[in-house]
Amino acid sequence: VNEVLLASVDGELLEAARATIPVADEGLLRGDGVFEVVRLYEGRPYALDAHMDRMVRSADNLRLPFDRLAVEADVERLLASGRPADALVRCLMTRGGHRIVLLEALPDLPDTVSLATVTYSPTRVLDGVKSLSYGANMLAARLAQERGFDEALLVTPHGHVLEGPTSSFFWVRGDELLTPPLDEHLLDSITRRLVMRVTDAREHPTTLADLERADEAFLASSVREVMPVRQIESRELALDGPVTAAAASAAREAIETELAATAKA
Ligand SMILES: Cc1ncc(COP(=O)(O)O)c(C=O)c1O
């Protein structure tokens, strides 16, 4: 869990330690709610609109009342009252009707990660919902860490490779950059979209057997951007792979360009 620097609950700014919601909130009791995590660069949120668009879709799909303008105002107020250079903003909407916005410290990010495969079946009814029900994702990461790996790679019982518990997955075969298709019930990740826009990456159903032939791989998420994978189970991958390096710098450049454009606007 990242350090919470400042909180907003239902529009009220609070120190993290004073920010509370009622224990009867079904967001807590049942993980019934939606969330987003946005990265800040020098205090400026990247792709906030895309995150808010997805939060609206998540809430609609979950039949959860959601006030986008109120959440956007909460974010703005939070950012106006102290903008650390590089941090995260987490937005939650609970079934109990509470709007929570947290300013979080950016966690220490490793340069590379090792992945252990964990068997996982996406919950169909939650397609298109970035819900608060992340217990399974957190457990998957913990199971991978128990085995000495950094992170989990979620794989269906039929051997289809999906994504990480909080990131998208890309892999390289020769000079082709591939990523599992969204219709395998993955999160429609904003960073995945970004990588697909700035590279030649394409969707390709990916099996565990395919990964035996992977030359490079990386995770992608708002928090991590492009993070090289050095190992998947016992297979070691190319470090400093050229396709990963190109994707990382193209993504970074696009982020900087978009941030500069919003700063001017
Ligand atoms: C399951 C899952 N996949 C992918 C991602 C990456 O999404 P984004 O690029 O929108 O941060 C996340 C982010 O939390 C996630 O939870």
Side-chain angles (χ1 to χ4, degrees):
V1 179
N2 305 323
E3 184 194 357
V4 179
L5 306 170
L6 189 62
S8 164
V9 179
D10 301 329
E12 189 187 352
L13 278 181
L14 298 151
E15 284 170 42
R18 295 181 174 276
T20 58
I21 57 162
V23 289
D25 191 319
E26 299 219 334
L28 172 68
L29 297 186
R30 303 191 192 275
D32 190 353
V34 298
F35 80 105
E36 283 294 325
V37 178
V38 183
R39 183 152 165 189
L40 295 183
Y41 294 84
E42 294 176 10
R44 282 172 292 156
Y46 173 70
L48 181 60
D49 281 348
H51 284 279
M52 285 297 124
D53 289 348
R54 185 170 65 188
M55 202 166 179
V56 167
R57 289 199 304 275
S58 288
D60 277 354
N61 290 336
L62 196 62
R63 303 340 187 230
L64 179 74
F66 185 73
D67 184 344
R68 175 182 185 142
L69 291 179
V71 174
E72 285 174 342
D74 293 348
V75 171
E76 201 161 309
R77 208 173 307 114
L78 191 79
L79 294 185
S81 62
R83 297 183 168 211
D86 231 358
L88 304 173
V89 173
R90 182 181 302 267
C91 303
L92 292 81
M93 184 71 215
T94 72
R95 181 64 62 184
H98 293 289
R99 293 194 317 275
I100 302 169
V101 182
L102 305 177
L103 185 65
E104 296 181 1
L106 190 67
D108 284 336
L109 297 168
D111 293 333
T112 65
V113 283
S114 60
L115 304 181
T117 59
V118 175
T119 306
Y120 180 92
S121 293
T123 307
R124 289 289 194 277
V125 74
L126 287 177
D127 261 5
V129 183
K130 191 167 163 63
S131 86
L132 287 177
S133 304
Y134 258 48
N137 303 49
M138 299 300 101
L139 176 57
R142 213 166 279 126
L143 292 174
Q145 284 152 14
E146 270 178 16
R147 293 184 47 219
F149 293 81
D150 297 320
E151 182 56 288
L153 179 61
L154 306 178
V155 180
T156 71
H158 296 99
H160 280 245
V161 174
L162 301 175
E163 60 189 337
T166 61
S167 57
S168 298
F169 178 75
F170 287 81
W171 63 289
V172 177
R173 184 179 60 192
D175 57 2
E176 281 185 303
L177 180 55
L178 304 168
T179 192
L182 277 191
D183 65 13
E184 300 211 23
H185 315 285
L186 314 177
L187 182 75
D188 186 355
S189 145
I190 288 159
T191 319
R192 180 182 181 279
R193 279 183 183 246
L194 168 65
V195 169
M196 295 190 79
R197 198 174 75 225
V198 299
T199 67
D200 295 330
R202 62 182 178 84
E203 290 191 329
H204 184 74
T206 302
T207 63
L208 269 183
D210 288 330
L211 293 188
E212 292 297 320
R213 287 175 292 135
D215 299 308
E216 304 171 31
F218 60 83
L219 300 180
S221 78
S222 300
V223 177
R224 300 170 191 260
E225 297 184 354
V226 166
M227 181 170 288
V229 174
R230 68 173 179 279
Q231 187 182 343
I232 303 174
E233 290 289 339
S234 58
R235 182 173 167 82
E236 293 188 10
L237 302 176
L239 271 186
D240 303 321
V243 180
T244 301
S249 54
R252 175 42 82 100
E253 198 177 306
I255 290 169
E256 280 169 11
T257 306
E258 282 174 52
L259 286 169
T262 37
K264 269 190 220 125

